[in-house]
Amino acid sequence: MKAIAVFPQQREVRLIDAQEPRLTGPDEVKVRTLEVGVCGTDREICGFHYGTPPEGSGHLVIGHECLGEVVETGPAVRGLRKGDLAVLTVRRPCGLETCPSCREGRQDFCYTGAFTERGIKQQHGFMTEFVVDRERYFIPVPRELREVAVLVEPLTIAEKALIEVWQVQQRLPWSCPSAGGERKPGHCHHALVLGAGPIGLLGAMAFANAGFSTVVYSREGEKSDKADLVRSFGAQYISSEVTEISNLVERMGTIDVVYEATGASRLSFEVLEQVGPNAAFIFTGVPGLKGPAAIDTDRIMRNMVLKNQVLLGTVNAGRDAFENAIRDLGDFMRKWPDSVRRLITGRYAIGDYRTPLLSTDGIKNIITFN
Ligand SMILES: [Zn+2]
Ligand SMILES: [Zn+2]
């Protein structure tokens, strides 16, 4: 079967002929790959900046944003049947006795760093025609989401952040939007999303859907397609061309939650200086290490203490975030179907893999495996 593989030693990305995987345990499931999303991580792996092949292998099959259709199940599989659609989680446990989070199935909080990740770290990924894994790593997807379910994995970043925001902001029981999506009037419903890439836009949809009055702040102009897309799902768009960070509060009101999806650390810390009382600030980007920058640490620390602010980072996602992503994607499709479809800007056959892996055009590009 065909697979897209990166050879870090030879600095090559190639279509290879790989052995079709077979079930080896009773709780395993085999899916036929339908679509795999391409993201910045894949592009970094293809640029040989990131990613590790499995031990003993000279190559890594990439891809971690997978939608598949079940073709075969082991005798112990209960929750999936032939013909079902499913998405896969990415991270696999470190297996070390000393790691309580991995033992609990929460490898997204792994303590040891010895976890593996399909398509990224020491395990082959999903840009291949068939995938086998244990049932516990699949989440079933309703058939009506077939067209957009490849967006589930990138949406889980925001869903995990939202779960954590709810947990933190339970300390403000008088005024937080509820997890069910109902907005109560109050003082913690202004969300600011930094960046209008796929993670930012999906995050903005998730925050808007959860009842936050949501603003996306990014580089593109206020008359751009991106700005128009943001407004199409009821969020506000503010361009950094027009509004400086120091004027954000004036334009949007108090900032209660920030969802950072740019990987730009300097911008993020400048925004952190502007956030309001009892705010939660979430980092999701992984910046390249560009050396020290000057920031006003006294002001930031003073604010954080005197305003009860919380700063948290989040990576990867657990099963709960995947389930919420599937639920919310269903909400998005009922409320803003055209906006969701506009996030998928290109579908490429496997033979044309180079275009989406090498270019940054569009929002979310996808490789199809029909
Ligand atoms: Zn990704
Ligand atoms: Zn672990």
Side-chain angles (χ1 to χ4, degrees), residues 37-42 64-65 120 153-154 199 364:
V38 174
C39 78
T41 303
D42 300 307
H64 57 272
E65 303 181 358
I120 302 171
E153 198 279 341
I199 300 293
K364 176 57 78 178

Side-chain angles (χ1 to χ4, degrees), residues 21 29-31 33 88 118 125-126 128-133 138:
V29 174
K30 180 172 177 176
V31 294
T33 308
L88 285 114
R118 294 211 59 169
F126 307 137
T128 179
E129 292 176 89
F130 293 95
V131 171
V132 168
D133 215 327
F138 288 89

Side-chain angles (χ1 to χ4, degrees), residues 93-96 99-103 107 109-115:
C94 67
L96 296 170
C99 188
S101 49
C102 285
R103 273 210 316 267
Q107 44 274 16
F109 288 106
C110 178
Y111 280 93
T112 68
F115 59 82

